[in-house]
Amino acid sequence: MRVNRRAMLAGVAGLGVTAALGGMANAQVEGLSRITGAAVPITPAERLARVAKAQALMKAQGLSAVVIEPGASMTYFTGVQWRRSERVTALVIPVEGDLLIVTPHFEEPSVRESLAVPADVRVWQEDEDPAAPMADWLKARKLAGGVIGVEETVRYFVSEGLARRLPNARFAPGAPVVRGCRMIKSPAEIALMEIAAQVTVAAYRYTYSKVELGMTPADIGAIMSKATAALGGKPEFSMVLIGEAAAYPHGTRQRQVLREREVVLMDCGCTVEGYQADISRTFVFGEPTAEQRKVWDEVARGQQIAFETAQVGTPAGAVDDAVRRYYESLGYGPRYGLPGLSHRTGHGIGMEGHEPVNFVHGEETRLAPGMCLSNEPGLYLPGKFGVRLEDCLHMTAQGPRWFSKPAASIDDPMG
C-alpha cells in the first residue's frame, strides 16, 4: 500500500518544510495543477466588519481599547502581515473610531504594504519608548483612564511598558473580544478552509500512490509538501510517523524506514489565503494485521461519535467525553491513559492550526454556527503503533459539516 505535522517535529526527521521540499530529488508532481483558482482573499470590507464587531463587544464589556501584537489576530483585523521581534509593532483597537498601529520608523513602509483598513500609523525611533506613542494616542482620545484589554499572546514587556505610561488605566484580558470575533468564522473564511482541505486531500492521494518500501518520513513528507505546493496550497506541516513511532502523537527521534505491514501515520496541512487545513490519515504498507484493522476501525468509530455529538448548543467538552466513554468501554485508558487517547479529541482551527475552542474534557463553551474544529480521536499503543484519523468540521445551524470526507477504511484510507 502507499502515504507531515508540524514541520519542526521529529516526524520529518528534524527537517523543516523548506528542507523537506528539497529533501527528495525524485519527488514528482506530474499530473498535478493548481486547484485554488476559486480562492477569494478576505476583503477590506470584511475586515472592517470584524473591527465593528470587536468594538461592539468592547462596549458591552466596558473596555476602552484592546492591544494586539503581530500575528494572526493583527492580520485578522487589519491585513497586516508582520513578525514579532524585540522592536515593538502593535495594534490598538479603540472602542470607537479608526485603529492605531505603532511600529519602528524604518519599518513603516513595510507595515503599510499589507495594511487593508484605515488606521493611524505612528512610529517610534530606536532611542525612544514604543509605549509612548500608544499612550499619547489613547490620552488624546480620552481612553487612557479606562480599561485596556490585552490580547492573550501579547508579551509581558509590551503590556507592562504601556501600563507604566498609563498609571490611571486598568488592564484586563482581551481574549473575550478577540476570541468572540475569531471563533466564529464567516462564509468567506469557511470557503477558504474548504479549498485548503481539498488541496490537502488531493496531495494525500498523490502521495499515497508514490510511497515505496524503504522510504523514510522525510522522503514521504517531501512528496506531500511538493504535491501541496503544486496544487496551490502553502505547505504548513508534513509529519510522517512509521511503525512504532506512530504510537507517539508527535513522533520520536528514532530512525524510521518503511517496511512491509507497518503503519504509516501522516498529519499534514496547508494554508490557502492564510486559512488552514489539518488532516491526518493512517494506513498500512502491505496487508494490515488483525490488530491494525481493529484499532483503525475503533478510531473511525470514535471520529464518528465525535461528529454525532458535536451539535449546536452542546458544550465542546462533551464531545471529548463521548469519545472517551466509548474508548473506555473497549478497555482503553481510562481518561488520558495509555494505551488509549492521550490528547484532546480536537482543537479549533482557522488562521492558526490551533485556536480556541477545543474538544477537551471540561470545556464548557457551547458549540455555535461558524465554529471550526478538528476531529482527531486517535488511539496509541506504546511499543506497537498508533492510529489517528483527523478531519475538520464547521458548525452550521443544522449541525456539523465536514471540511474533508473521513477515510473510508483501512483498505481505502484516502477515499
Side-chain angles (χ1 to χ4, degrees), residues 18-19 25 30 32 57 69 108 185 207 232 273 307 319 400:
T18 302
E30 72 272 5
L32 297 183
L57 290 171
E69 278 204 88
E108 180 185 1
K185 272 61 177 183
T207 303
E273 296 292 342
F307 184 82
V319 176

Side-chain angles (χ1 to χ4, degrees), residues 226-255:
K226 283 190 173 184
T228 298
L231 290 160
K234 179 183 177 182
E236 281 290 309
F237 52 92
S238 295
M239 186 178 76
V240 181
L241 306 175
I242 298 174
E244 182 187 347
Y248 312 105
H250 285 165
T252 171
R253 292 184 179 274
Q254 298 173 12
R255 177 168 169 74

Side-chain angles (χ1 to χ4, degrees), residues 75-159:
T75 304
Y76 177 85
F77 289 111
T78 70
V80 171
Q81 297 176 26
W82 202 242
R83 62 198 174 277
R84 297 188 189 194
S85 75
E86 77 283 4
R87 294 184 174 100
V88 174
T89 291
L91 164 68
V92 178
I93 304 178
V95 69
E96 58 184 21
D98 288 346
L99 314 178
L100 168 70
I101 293 178
V102 169
T103 195
H105 171 73
F106 67 93
E107 302 285 24
E108 180 185 1
S110 302
V111 167
R112 285 189 180 275
E113 282 183 342
S114 54
L115 179 60
V117 297
D120 187 356
V121 180
R122 299 208 175 179
V123 300
W124 57 277
Q125 303 291 353
E126 289 280 70
D127 60 348
E128 295 176 340
D129 180 359
M134 281 191 280
D136 291 345
W137 190 87
L138 288 165
K139 289 174 183 175
R141 281 154 184 76
K142 297 182 172 28
L143 300 174
V147 182
I148 310 298
V150 180
E151 198 261 354
E152 58 193 323
T153 70
V154 170
R155 293 168 294 179
Y156 175 75
F157 80 88
V158 176
S159 59

Side-chain angles (χ1 to χ4, degrees), residues 23-295:
M24 186 180 183
N26 295 326
Q28 301 297 310
V29 288
E30 72 272 5
L32 297 183
S33 58
R34 296 176 66 87
I35 61 173
T36 56
V40 178
I42 300 300
T43 65
E46 177 156 338
R47 295 193 197 281
L48 285 172
R50 295 169 176 179
V51 172
K53 181 177 180 180
Q55 291 176 324
L57 290 171
M58 292 162 62
K59 190 170 295 186
Q61 295 170 27
L63 297 180
S64 299
V66 171
V67 178
I68 296 171
E69 278 204 88
S73 292
M74 181 179 284
T75 304
Y76 177 85
F77 289 111
T78 70
V80 171
Q81 297 176 26
W82 202 242
R83 62 198 174 277
R84 297 188 189 194
S85 75
E86 77 283 4
R87 294 184 174 100
V88 174
T89 291
L91 164 68
V92 178
I93 304 178
V95 69
E96 58 184 21
D98 288 346
L99 314 178
L100 168 70
I101 293 178
V102 169
T103 195
H105 171 73
F106 67 93
E107 302 285 24
E108 180 185 1
S110 302
V111 167
R112 285 189 180 275
E113 282 183 342
S114 54
L115 179 60
V117 297
D120 187 356
V121 180
R122 299 208 175 179
V123 300
W124 57 277
Q125 303 291 353
E126 289 280 70
D127 60 348
E128 295 176 340
D129 180 359
M134 281 191 280
D136 291 345
W137 190 87
L138 288 165
K139 289 174 183 175
R141 281 154 184 76
K142 297 182 172 28
L143 300 174
V147 182
I148 310 298
V150 180
E151 198 261 354
E152 58 193 323
T153 70
V154 170
R155 293 168 294 179
Y156 175 75
F157 80 88
V158 176
S159 59
E160 191 273 338
L162 185 58
R164 279 190 287 104
R165 292 273 179 173
L166 299 176
N168 295 323
R170 209 158 47 82
F171 288 78
V177 171
V178 177
R179 289 188 182 190
C181 294
R182 289 184 55 191
M183 274 200 310
I184 306 299
K185 272 61 177 183
S186 70
E189 292 177 288
I190 288 171
L192 290 172
M193 294 172 70
E194 287 174 336
I195 295 173
Q198 291 166 10
V199 168
T200 304
V201 169
Y204 264 127
R205 290 171 177 160
Y206 176 88
T207 303
Y208 181 68
S209 71
K210 302 296 181 183
V211 173
E212 298 177 359
L213 199 67
M215 282 186 170
T216 67
D219 294 334
I220 299 170
I223 298 173
M224 183 72 186
S225 293
K226 283 190 173 184
T228 298
L231 290 160
K234 179 183 177 182
E236 281 290 309
F237 52 92
S238 295
M239 186 178 76
V240 181
L241 306 175
I242 298 174
E244 182 187 347
Y248 312 105
H250 285 165
T252 171
R253 292 184 179 274
Q254 298 173 12
R255 177 168 169 74
Q256 303 162 53
V257 178
L258 185 57
R259 297 187 291 261
E260 285 286 344
R261 307 194 85 179
E262 278 196 314
V263 162
V264 179
L265 189 162
M266 298 184 67
D267 190 341
C268 308
C270 73
T271 60
V272 172
E273 296 292 342
Y275 284 83
Q276 297 214 8
D278 186 358
I279 300 173
S280 297
R281 293 290 181 261
T282 303
F283 68 92
V284 175
F285 189 87
E287 181 63 27
T289 66
E291 184 177 33
Q292 289 167 343
R293 286 185 180 277
K294 171 180 173 290
V295 176

Side-chain angles (χ1 to χ4, degrees), residues 71 102 113 131 299 370 384 403:
V102 169
E113 282 183 342
V299 174
K384 294 182 177 181
F403 279 111

Side-chain angles (χ1 to χ4, degrees), residues 320-321 324-325 327-328 332-343 361-362:
D320 185 81
D321 294 341
R324 229 164 277 282
R325 280 195 300 272
Y327 283 169
E328 289 175 4
Y332 295 109
R335 288 178 43 78
Y336 296 89
L338 293 171
L341 173 55
S342 53
H343 57 71
H361 176 72

Side-chain angles (χ1 to χ4, degrees), residues 357-373:
V357 64
N358 299 310
F359 289 145
V360 65
H361 176 72
E363 177 55 69
E364 297 180 356
T365 303
R366 295 186 180 274
L367 299 175
M371 288 184 177
C372 301
L373 306 100

